[in-house]
Amino acid sequence: MRRLLVSRLPGETRVALLEEERLIDFRYERSGTASQVGAHILGRVTALAANNSGAFVALGRGPDGFLPLRKGDRLTEGQAVPVVITRDAEANKGPRLSRELRQAGRFIILLPTSPDVRVSRHMADKARRTALTTWARSKGTGMILRRCAAHVPLEGLERELHALLTDWSDLQKALEAVKAPALLKAAPDVVESALIDAAHLDEIIADDAEVLGQLRRICIERAPDLALRIVPHGESEPLFDHFDLEPRIEALLDPVVSLPSGGRLIIERTAALTAIDVDSGSTTSRGPGGAVHQANLEAADEIPRQMRLRNLGGAIAVDFAGESRAGQRQEVDARLSQGLADDPVPVHVMGRGPAGWLELIRERRQPALEELMLTPGLPHRNGESMAYEIIRHLLREARHPPRGGLTLSLSPPVAQVLSTTAKPALDLARLRLGCALRLQTDDRLPAERFDLKPTQE
């Protein structure tokens, strides 16, 4: 059973993908943090970088984006240029841009400005790869066929290709109707992008009427096979509580990940890279390769999942526990590559460096999960993340509301968030509680702590 779960509060959306009961993808979006990756814009060149290596492009709002230029590309200041955002802006950098205006679907990525036809190298069935390559080349346009296209009938691929070509036609019409800089096509939000990347689903559950409507519209237009699999969450228990997701999401903020046989991963993010150390620890051997090899195989299974769940991007270095046999190292590397095949974000395996670390590069498109949820440089929740955690706690209380009022004691920074950006969500919690809720700031409480008690008369 493959389920997509969507939970929304005013100002916050969370999406989880479950394979049976295993969490394999998690996406988090707050008002003001929505990703712009995938937005198509008619930009205007404001400056050229040294040696014509790139151009700075005005996008209509926010900082200028950076467009890398290839040899032979020629742009001039003031020129209008259609671009797509491929990486969100960071603290001191504008968005990264590309002139390859891709149109992404569940099974096909349309490359309308390129003649290239590619089929995922992770598609194991060679005969199917050949058949799909022949089909794609007959369409007269560039495209990439994702791994999940392997089991899709040709009529399903034809339907999606037609929809993507219609999108491209609409985009071309928009290009003729606007003046740079101007938005041509908005970025997909967290719900749409998760639905596209999930590809095959048995059930889609949402706890918000607006999200249910959005899912139905997307599926009717793009994924009719999923339209009848959308159901509202009908339980009084919150959706993520019902599937026991809250402790698993909290664990994604912990640098230590336990492995089944007693080993562990230690994940440490720095400004330059993410280091993942495999500690065989008290691993109990269950195979012919011994305890160290067992720990490495389990790590190779878990690392791709953690990279995706935590949205780790950029350079990643994995220090597997020491093994002397080349055959064992090759088995571990192959196991890791197999797990990376399911990641919707491209991951490049660079090989082992001189010190034996396996070096990877996962395309950085959006902030990592901990950047959205933790205070910079500290291991606890930031004010925005904590405010919504409190609101979820209040909604649980609403299932059994007290007869009298409630007093919520919390730190001043979190109280500030609840009275501003998170106020609509707090108003919803007050409505469902059906009783008076008084906020009381306490300078002694750290941001990650709060106290909810019945109000004393």
Side-chain angles (χ1 to χ4, degrees):
M1 174 67 74
R2 190 173 166 92
R3 289 190 177 98
L4 190 72
L5 310 178
V6 185
S7 181
R8 174 171 288 175
L9 289 171
E12 181 197 63
T13 304
R14 301 187 299 164
V15 184
L17 179 62
L18 297 181
E19 185 83 58
E20 301 305 335
E21 299 303 318
R22 184 176 171 82
L23 179 64
I24 59 174
D25 197 4
F26 175 68
R27 306 189 185 198
Y28 178 74
E29 183 176 278
R30 287 196 309 269
S31 296
T33 67
S35 173
Q36 295 305 305
V37 170
H40 290 66
I41 297 166
L42 181 61
R44 184 171 296 281
V45 177
T46 58
L48 295 174
N51 301 321
N52 203 45
S53 60
F56 296 95
V57 180
L59 305 174
R61 63 175 185 176
D64 288 0
F66 181 72
L67 174 64
L69 296 180
R70 293 172 294 187
K71 187 176 181 180
D73 286 345
R74 291 289 181 266
L75 294 176
T76 58
E77 290 187 22
Q79 180 179 341
V81 56
V83 295
V84 63
I85 295 178
T86 59
R87 189 175 73 190
D88 283 324
E90 299 176 352
N92 57 351
K93 294 181 181 179
R96 195 167 182 91
L97 311 174
S98 172
R99 296 176 75 179
E100 188 174 59
L101 305 184
R102 299 182 171 199
Q103 308 296 306
R106 295 162 65 203
F107 314 118
I108 299 170
I109 300 173
L110 181 67
L111 309 175
T113 60
S114 168
D116 292 344
V117 168
R118 286 172 263 164
V119 178
S120 170
R121 59 188 173 85
H122 299 295
M123 198 179 292
D125 188 332
K126 292 183 179 180
R128 180 62 171 165
R129 281 175 55 90
T130 300
L132 288 177
T133 300
T134 301
W135 172 83
R137 285 176 176 163
S138 72
K139 299 305 170 183
T141 184
M143 69 178 79
I144 299 171
L145 287 161
R146 291 178 157 181
R147 182 190 188 192
C148 53
H151 307 293
V152 180
L154 286 183
E155 56 265 29
L157 297 178
E158 293 275 7
R159 181 172 55 243
E160 180 164 275
L161 178 60
H162 175 75
L164 294 173
L165 288 170
T166 300
D167 278 354
W168 173 239
S169 177
D170 292 343
L171 196 67
Q172 288 178 301
K173 292 174 184 176
L175 270 170
E176 298 171 359
V178 299
K179 183 178 180 180
L183 178 67
L184 300 171
K185 179 183 176 183
D189 70 1
V190 67
V191 175
E192 182 178 355
S193 63
L195 183 66
I196 289 171
D197 288 339
H200 300 289
L201 292 166
D202 298 297
E203 191 173 44
I204 305 169
I205 308 174
D207 62 8
D208 177 82
E210 183 179 345
V211 170
L212 286 165
Q214 178 189 6
L215 287 165
R216 290 187 179 112
R217 287 192 299 273
I218 296 171
C219 289
I220 289 170
E221 293 175 5
R222 300 300 175 85
D225 57 305
L226 300 181
L228 296 179
R229 302 177 188 181
I230 302 169
V231 295
H233 177 58
E235 305 289 336
S236 61
E237 184 180 25
L239 176 60
F240 277 29
D241 286 354
H242 184 73
F243 285 92
D244 192 33
L245 288 177
E246 299 295 357
R248 288 188 271 177
I249 293 169
E250 190 66 28
L252 298 178
L253 303 176
D254 191 328
V256 179
V257 180
S258 297
L259 298 173
S261 298
R264 60 180 187 166
L265 304 178
I266 303 171
I267 303 172
E268 183 179 359
R269 291 183 66 250
T270 68
L273 58 78
T274 298
I276 302 178
D277 181 60
V278 180
D279 179 7
S280 59
S282 57
T283 299
T284 301
S285 176
R286 294 186 298 180
V292 170
H293 189 55
Q294 180 70 31
N296 283 337
L297 289 175
E298 292 176 357
D301 289 336
E302 184 63 24
I303 286 169
R305 175 173 169 267
Q306 291 295 325
M307 288 167 55
R308 183 174 177 180
L309 288 168
R310 296 169 187 246
N311 199 20
L312 302 176
I316 299 169
V318 182
D319 185 14
F320 286 103
E323 289 188 301
S324 57
R325 293 173 56 187
Q328 289 183 331
R329 291 195 298 271
Q330 291 170 359
E331 183 183 2
V332 168
D333 292 356
R335 189 87 150 249
L336 182 77
S337 295
Q338 183 179 357
L340 295 174
D342 293 324
D343 195 332
V345 176
V347 183
H348 308 282
V349 181
M350 311 306 291
R352 292 185 181 253
W357 290 51
L358 185 65
E359 298 172 3
L360 315 169
I361 297 177
R362 186 174 188 265
E363 288 188 11
R364 180 176 173 85
R365 298 178 175 178
Q366 300 150 350
L369 182 64
E370 71 173 55
E371 293 178 65
L372 295 175
M373 299 185 72
L374 296 183
T375 301
L378 297 173
H380 57 67
R381 299 280 192 115
N382 58 34
E384 292 83 1
S385 175
M386 198 63 216
Y388 282 99
E389 183 62 32
I390 290 171
I391 289 165
R392 284 190 285 275
H393 185 83
L394 293 173
L395 292 173
R396 294 185 193 104
E397 289 290 321
R399 297 174 62 205
H400 309 286
R403 293 181 180 178
L406 293 170
T407 296
L408 175 64
S409 299
L410 69 171
S411 68
V414 179
Q416 175 68 17
V417 175
L418 285 173
S419 63
T420 53
T421 55
K423 187 176 184 301
L426 180 62
D427 291 343
L428 174 66
R430 289 183 193 272
L431 180 65
R432 292 190 184 175
L433 278 169
C435 68
L437 175 66
R438 183 167 68 94
L439 269 60
Q440 177 177 287
T441 59
D442 186 342
D443 292 329
R444 297 169 298 177
L445 282 175
E448 69 273 19
R449 293 280 305 280
F450 67 94
D451 190 23
L452 184 67
K453 293 181 178 179
T455 300
Q456 299 296 322
E457 300 294 338

